[in-house]
Amino acid sequence: MKPVLLRFVLASMLLPWLWAVAGAQAASFPDLDSALPGRTDVTYLDLARMIIPDLAADKNGTYQGGLPIDMRHIEGPDSGGSPPETSSLSNAEVLSIKAGGKDRLAILFDLGDSSDSAEGYAVLALYDVTAKPKLLDQANVALDRNTYFQKPGKLAIGANDDILTIESSHSNSNQNYMIDSMVMVADDKLKLIDIIYMLDEHVCAYSRTQEIAFKAIAEGRRHAAIKVTVTDATGPTDDPCDEAPPKVTSHRISVTYHWNKKRSRYVRDSDAFKRLAAENAKRF
């Protein structure tokens, strides 16, 4: 095989692995008063004040402020509640990402409970910090009480683009409700790909868990396909119970999202996650 061709083949084989490595870096939690890496003139507090203009430190080492700037909910105008009248932050959840080949910073600010909704209020903010910091877009991404990047928080869908994975959740005595969303960046705007609803359940005799995983699959399009798999597993606990433990079971539910050039969006190949959500709703 000719050397040039050999290098091309090896590069093609390594590309999906390189995307995976690029998407494996987990989010960091810098203090708001710390400077951005490689900068002495900009702190995370400066960026946070683009969202909450009057944010200021209090005597307990946290930061208090009023209402954030106006923003949409990532799911649409009929979703989400109002932000809390008072915001409190101690740090930021930060991810460096690629969007259209450009370096961008994604920051998630969980502002706590919404004033008129059971959901919380969490701001996903997109910045350009390559020169003078600029807020490019912002959206409320809360779908439940607590919101955070779903580890590792991003997935490379090509050499020039990452998507963000976010989870909202809350728990009661024996159930854990989890709602995961995938968000991409298009022309420096945040755009929802899809939402997946999951439910863990723990009772005396058994534990049923649903765990999610994301994988990029190169297929010769502008963006790689995204395969999302939920592993639904049931098994006995070690607790002494009057009822017999169930049989150990495990199965996977997968949906693949393919990039549709004509529609400029990802399209799922099945409604399996909708059926999973409906099944889980019966167990609430």
Side-chain angles (χ1 to χ4, degrees), residues 58-111:
D58 65 14
K59 61 182 180 180
N60 298 317
T62 59
Y63 294 83
Q64 305 287 337
L67 292 170
I69 61 176
D70 289 339
M71 68 190 73
R72 70 194 185 284
H73 193 279
I74 194 68
E75 194 176 12
D78 296 329
S79 298
S82 301
E85 293 185 2
T86 301
S87 301
S88 179
L89 294 171
S90 58
N91 57 22
E93 192 171 8
V94 178
L95 270 173
S96 297
I97 65 170
K98 284 283 188 181
K102 300 175 183 176
D103 293 321
R104 296 292 183 249
L105 199 65
I107 303 185
L108 190 56
F109 302 101
D110 192 338
L111 304 187

Side-chain angles (χ1 to χ4, degrees), residues 167-211:
E167 184 166 286
S168 288
S169 68
H170 83 275
S171 300
N172 58 26
S173 59
N174 69 317
Q175 290 184 323
N176 183 28
Y177 306 86
M178 303 157 293
I179 308 174
D180 278 28
S181 58
M182 296 183 291
V183 177
M184 69 180 299
V185 178
D187 297 325
D188 281 333
K189 297 297 179 184
L190 302 167
K191 183 177 180 181
L192 181 67
I193 297 173
D194 203 5
I195 297 172
I196 301 104
Y197 297 83
M198 294 166 292
L199 174 65
D200 286 353
E201 188 171 18
H202 305 275
V203 296
C204 184
Y206 70 89
S207 175
R208 182 176 177 181
T209 60
Q210 294 178 346
E211 296 185 354

Side-chain angles (χ1 to χ4, degrees), residues 24 44 75 114 118 158 255:
Y44 291 100
E75 194 176 12
S114 173
V255 173

Side-chain angles (χ1 to χ4, degrees), residues 8 10 31 33 43 45 53 59 99 101 114 118 122 127 138-139 153-154 163 165 185 201 204 212 252 256 259-260 267:
F8 175 78
L10 290 173
D31 293 333
D33 62 356
T43 67
L45 180 59
K59 61 182 180 180
S114 173
Y127 298 90
Q138 67 282 338
K154 66 180 180 179
I163 66 163
T165 55
V185 178
E201 188 171 18
C204 184
I212 196 167
R252 294 178 178 178
T256 300
W259 180 252
N260 186 302
V267 177

